Amino acid sequence: MTMERWCIYIDMEGFSALYSKEDQILWSLGEMMLAIFRIGTRVYPSDPDRLFAYQTGDGFVVQSDFHESSPLRAISIAVVILRHVASTGRYARAAISEGDIADIVGCYPKEVSDAQNENRVVPLGMGLMTLFPVMGTGLIRSVGVNNLGPRGPLLLLDPRFRTRLPKSVPAQLTDKDDHAPLSVDWVHINLPLACSIQAQAGLPLVPPEEMEKKLIKYCRQYTREDWVSSVERFLQIKF
């Protein structure tokens, strides 16, 4: 049996299109960061449940400390983050897989490694190079799952989780191919663990009806026709 750790890759949808047009998308990214911070500090602050998170541009990678036979905790954490971002009127997309994440600083050229400071910043004359020293199969696979899924603000799972999903987590294939990602309806799913995480983290509860209205409004406001079929099929929201 694999001993790989679960890995959530979550990023803002529509970030590149909205970045130059509004401040809201940056605020929503900040709220994503806040949700991850609170879950890590208030809900899972210590062994064996502690979390590791890394920012990757307009998103984050969140990984467990140890292998978990059930993906329930990862799914619940992703649901909470997606819902919190949705409460801001902007949306994220998450993909969950398994694998390792390692520090790859040892692969950097010695000249670069020797020049970095304690914050992993390397001077470039009067400029700066900031290093992101994390890589591994967990990040690669979760990004791969994200890239294979349909468009839209979805919660996608690596199909390897199919036989290990608890009955409380209904999921559907996103394509006829058995190797296609699975999708979970994060708007309507009733997960006691997600509710507990949300309460402990002090994140406000947003009713599904409110998330539906906000998402419909967003799709119409920004003409996201490429989202509509996915939202209707995988999030059970009718336009």
Side-chain angles (χ1 to χ4, degrees), residues 31 34 38 80 83-84 87 198-199 201-207 211:
E31 289 299 306
L34 176 64
R38 287 194 180 180
V80 171
R83 287 177 175 175
H84 186 66
S87 72
Q198 191 164 15
L203 299 172
L205 177 65
V206 183
M211 287 188 282

Side-chain angles (χ1 to χ4, degrees), residues 168-224:
S168 59
V169 182
Q172 56 178 314
L173 275 172
T174 55
D175 200 343
K176 294 179 181 179
D177 185 347
D178 288 344
H179 298 291
L182 304 168
S183 179
V184 174
D185 179 359
W186 57 269
V187 174
H188 302 99
I189 193 169
N190 181 17
L191 289 178
L193 180 56
C195 294
S196 175
I197 292 170
Q198 191 164 15
Q200 291 181 69
L203 299 172
L205 177 65
V206 183
E209 299 79 18
E210 184 175 334
M211 287 188 282
E212 288 182 6
K213 291 178 182 178
K214 285 179 178 289
L215 187 47
I216 291 172
K217 179 181 178 181
Y218 179 90
C219 287
R220 289 174 174 167
Q221 180 179 354
Y222 293 100
T223 321
R224 295 310 305 254

Side-chain angles (χ1 to χ4, degrees), residues 1 20 29-30 35 48 52 62 66 99 102 104 108 110 121 123 131 143 158 161 180 184-185 190 202 210 226:
M1 184 178 73
S20 61
L29 175 60
F52 295 87
V62 182
F66 298 101
I104 59 171
Y108 291 164
K110 186 176 185 302
V121 174
L131 304 179
V143 170
D158 191 315
F161 287 125
V184 174
D185 179 359
N190 181 17
E210 184 175 334
D226 55 339

